């Protein structure tokens, strides 16, 4: 029910300005002119709702997954851009300029006031640029923190420009009820951003952590463990993730999302499995014990606590082992009676992490580039391999938790559905958005 309720709440929020505009007793206009105004209103309200969708609010992402929330954020940003692009062209054949004898209120004409139009044009261009840069972020050379700052500042500028354009050039925006509604919605949107970047960091300062250890796991992989500094730690469920900030101020944008590899039952220390990939991760092996760290979390929708299925299937590719390791550790520590099988794939043998701890009981190791003396499974994790490992009744009755490369998850999810596993028993989270 939660996704449906959130969708209804979203639709109510973005259409509220449109509904109130319709209730204003304005002179009738041609359909294409009303459609132009409507698309402009919807584009602005959708842009404002983007602040909430991207604000890392647990109340929204919990139960549906942050990946779903962010995908919806992306989809709505592109929809808002499409509405904004269509909006001015639909005003064709509409009289422009100042007052007409037959239109003393100037409600049936388009303003030619440059100040009112220029802010709309600038917002128009900025929104297009912001969406394009977001889509092509992984192909660009600048750092994630740089992109994140540009994205936030750009969003605030767009909101401010659209507010001015709407209340000064819009047919309905200058009406008192609409003016105050737009002020309130813009304030709430920018306030959500301030909450994420100001209020939350202030709270995190009171709950600092420090690095306890940095341990090599294998080829370009590390386990980083942090311990709470003067507080009880983090309440999380096995399978969740958090944003980790190491060695910087709590207000810094230099934080990255990592799945938690430790189990809640293991104590207050929290461990992360980190693969060398970006600017921060390549230097993780140089982090000294005692370095201050901050955690924002937990997030994630992979926990299997309290689920009724008789068995848990964990399908991991590479560093995707981390959240599934947390689940496996928690099940072992708490004596969970459910059956469990882990399928763990890598390219080479030196990439296998925690092999001694994992053991061989219920664990299948898979290598796509195995050595000559390899005795485990070879190739990719695909449907044929799943059929070798799982019984027909397990496909129908167990819960399957997937984390790894998108291509692997696509193949396995399709095969699980083909074998009769209902969508409610297939759990995954994806962070490769484009």
């Amino acid at each position: 029910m939660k996704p449906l309720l959130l969708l209804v709440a979203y639709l109510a929020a973005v259409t509220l300005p449109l509904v109130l505009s319709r209730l204003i007793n304005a002179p009738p206009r041609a359909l294409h002119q009303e459609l132009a105004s409507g698309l402009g209103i919807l584009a602005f309200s959708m842009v404002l709702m983007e602040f909430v969708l991207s604000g890392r609010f647990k109340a929204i992402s919990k139960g549906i997954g942050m990946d779903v929330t962010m995908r919806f954020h992306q989809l709505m940003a592109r929809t808002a851009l499409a509405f904004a692009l269509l909006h001015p062209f639909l005003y064709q054949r509409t009289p422009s300029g100042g007052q007409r004898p037959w239109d003393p209120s100037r409600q049936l004409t388009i303003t030619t006031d440059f100040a009112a139009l220029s802010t709309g044009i600038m917002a128009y261009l900025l929104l297009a640029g912001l969406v394009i840069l977001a889509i092509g972020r992984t192909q660009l050379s600048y750092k994630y923190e740089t992109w994140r700052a540009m994205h936030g500042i750009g969003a605030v500028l767009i909101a401010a420009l659209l507010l001015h354009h709407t209340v000064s050039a819009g047919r309905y925006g200058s009406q008192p009820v609409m003016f105050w509604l737009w002020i309130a919605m813009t304030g709430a949107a920018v306030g959500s951003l301030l909450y994420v970047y100001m209020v939350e960091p202030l709270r995190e300062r009171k709950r600092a952590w420090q690095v306890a250890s940095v341990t090599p796991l294998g080829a370009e992989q590390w386990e980083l463990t942090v311990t709470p500094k003067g507080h009880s730690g983090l309440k999380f469920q096995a399978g969740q993730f958090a944003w980790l900030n190491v060695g910087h101020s709590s207000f810094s944008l230099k934080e990255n999302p990592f799945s938690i590899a430790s189990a809640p039952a293991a104590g207050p220390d929290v461990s992360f499995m980190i693969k060398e990939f970006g600017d921060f991760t390549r230097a993780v092996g140089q982090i000294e014990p005692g370095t201050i760290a901050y955690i924002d979390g937990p997030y994630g929708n992979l926990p299997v606590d309290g689920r009724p299925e008789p068995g848990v299937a964990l399908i991991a590719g590479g560093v995707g082992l981390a959240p599934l390791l947390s689940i496996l550790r928690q099940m072992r520590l708490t004596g969970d009676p459910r059956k469990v099988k882990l399928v763990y794939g890598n390219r080479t043998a030196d990439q296998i992490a925690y092999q001694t701890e994992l053991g061989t009981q219920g664990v299948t190791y898979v290598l796509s580039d195995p050595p000559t003396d390899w005795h485990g499974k070879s190739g990719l994790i695909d449907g044929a391999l799943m059929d070798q490992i799982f019984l027909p009744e397990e496909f129908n009755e167990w819960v399957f938790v997937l984390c790894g490369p998108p291509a692997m998850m696509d193949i396995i999810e399709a095969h699980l559905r083909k074998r009769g596993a209902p969508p409610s028993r297939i759990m995954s989270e994806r962070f490769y958005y484009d």
Side-chain angles (χ1 to χ4, degrees):
M1 288 296 295
K2 183 172 182 179
L4 178 60
L5 291 174
L6 288 175
L7 182 60
V8 170
Y10 176 84
L11 291 174
V14 298
T15 57
L16 176 60
L18 196 64
V19 172
L20 289 183
S21 298
R22 181 67 180 85
L23 296 177
I24 294 174
N25 187 23
R29 292 192 302 180
L31 176 61
H32 70 280
Q33 295 168 348
E34 288 297 317
L35 183 58
S37 291
L39 289 179
I41 290 169
L42 282 175
F44 187 19
S45 58
M46 291 171 72
V47 165
L48 295 179
M49 286 301 295
E50 290 293 278
F51 285 78
V52 179
L53 291 176
S54 63
R56 298 202 330 223
F57 292 103
K58 301 182 183 71
I60 296 176
S61 62
K62 185 177 181 181
I64 61 173
M66 183 178 278
D67 60 331
V68 175
T69 305
M70 292 303 297
R71 174 57 75 181
F72 189 70
H73 166 79
Q74 289 184 326
L75 178 62
M76 291 302 100
R78 297 169 195 185
T79 304
L81 176 60
F83 288 172
L85 292 175
L86 286 172
H87 158 69
F89 294 105
L90 289 173
Y91 280 119
Q92 290 183 5
R93 301 187 306 278
T94 301
S96 61
Q99 295 180 353
R100 303 287 200 273
W102 41 267
D103 182 25
S105 63
R106 208 183 66 182
Q107 291 186 348
L108 301 181
T109 62
I110 299 177
T111 181
T112 53
D113 180 67
F114 180 75
L117 292 176
S118 62
T119 51
I121 295 169
M122 286 189 287
Y124 186 98
L125 298 174
L126 269 175
L127 180 59
L130 211 62
V131 171
I132 293 171
L133 287 175
I135 293 173
R137 178 177 64 84
T138 56
Q139 285 74 46
L140 300 174
S141 60
Y142 52 74
K143 295 181 179 180
Y144 168 73
E145 294 83 7
T146 304
W147 173 83
R148 189 177 170 193
M150 290 169 53
H151 201 69
I153 294 170
V156 172
L157 283 174
I158 290 170
L161 291 168
L162 285 177
L163 177 62
H164 178 268
H165 176 70
T166 301
V167 301
S168 60
R171 184 191 199 203
Y172 301 102
S174 60
Q175 300 293 326
V177 64
M178 295 304 300
F179 174 81
W180 290 111
L181 176 63
W182 286 125
I183 291 291
M185 290 184 66
T186 304
V190 176
S192 71
L193 199 66
L194 292 176
Y195 179 84
V196 171
Y197 289 103
M198 298 297 294
V199 177
E200 279 294 325
L202 279 173
R203 295 172 61 183
E204 289 174 19
R205 288 189 66 182
K206 300 176 183 178
R207 296 178 59 83
W209 300 69
Q210 64 182 22
V211 175
S213 63
V214 180
T215 307
L217 296 174
E220 300 180 334
Q221 295 180 111
W222 302 83
E223 180 185 76
L224 187 148
T225 301
V226 294
T227 189
K229 190 176 180 182
H231 57 91
S232 59
L234 179 71
K235 292 183 179 180
F236 69 96
Q237 291 180 285
Q240 292 189 296
F241 71 94
W243 291 77
L244 178 64
N245 171 352
V246 179
H248 303 284
S249 163
S250 62
F251 293 94
S252 173
L253 296 179
K254 294 182 178 180
E255 55 178 358
N256 297 273
F258 296 108
S259 293
I260 300 172
S262 53
D269 289 3
V270 176
S271 296
F272 300 91
M273 181 181 177
I274 300 174
K275 180 178 177 62
E276 294 181 18
F277 183 74
D279 296 315
F280 166 72
T281 55
R282 288 194 185 98
V284 68
Q286 303 170 22
I287 297 174
E288 295 290 337
T291 303
I292 294 296
Y294 298 96
I295 293 178
D296 176 20
Y299 297 94
N301 199 37
L302 292 184
V304 299
D305 298 349
R307 293 188 64 99
E309 292 86 0
V312 179
L314 307 172
I315 318 298
V319 76
L321 174 68
L324 311 190
L325 178 62
S326 177
I327 293 171
L328 182 62
R329 284 171 163 173
Q330 182 73 0
M331 293 180 70
R332 289 177 175 180
L333 286 173
T334 59
D336 194 310
R338 291 174 293 181
K339 295 180 180 178
V340 60
K341 291 182 181 180
L342 169 65
V343 182
Y344 177 27
N346 285 286
R347 187 175 62 84
T348 60
D350 62 350
Q351 293 175 330
I352 299 175
Y354 303 104
Q355 187 168 9
T356 301
E357 177 185 348
L358 293 174
T360 57
Q361 185 71 29
V363 179
T364 301
Y365 298 97
V366 186
L367 293 181
S368 60
D369 186 14
T372 55
D373 59 346
W374 176 246
H375 300 294
K377 299 290 184 180
S378 300
L380 301 175
I381 299 178
D382 56 15
L385 179 64
M386 297 291 286
D387 288 340
Q388 295 176 31
I389 297 172
F390 296 98
L391 301 173
E393 59 268 23
E394 292 172 345
F395 282 111
N396 295 322
E397 298 174 357
W398 283 28
V399 59
F400 288 79
V401 189
L402 287 60
C403 191
M408 182 204 81
M409 291 195 290
D410 289 340
I411 292 171
I412 299 306
E413 285 184 357
H415 186 74
L416 290 175
R417 290 193 295 269
K418 180 180 177 182
R419 293 303 307 267
S424 61
R425 293 196 181 126
I426 304 173
M427 303 172 62
S428 66
E429 285 187 321
R430 300 164 182 263
F431 294 95
Y432 293 81
Y433 301 124
D434 290 290

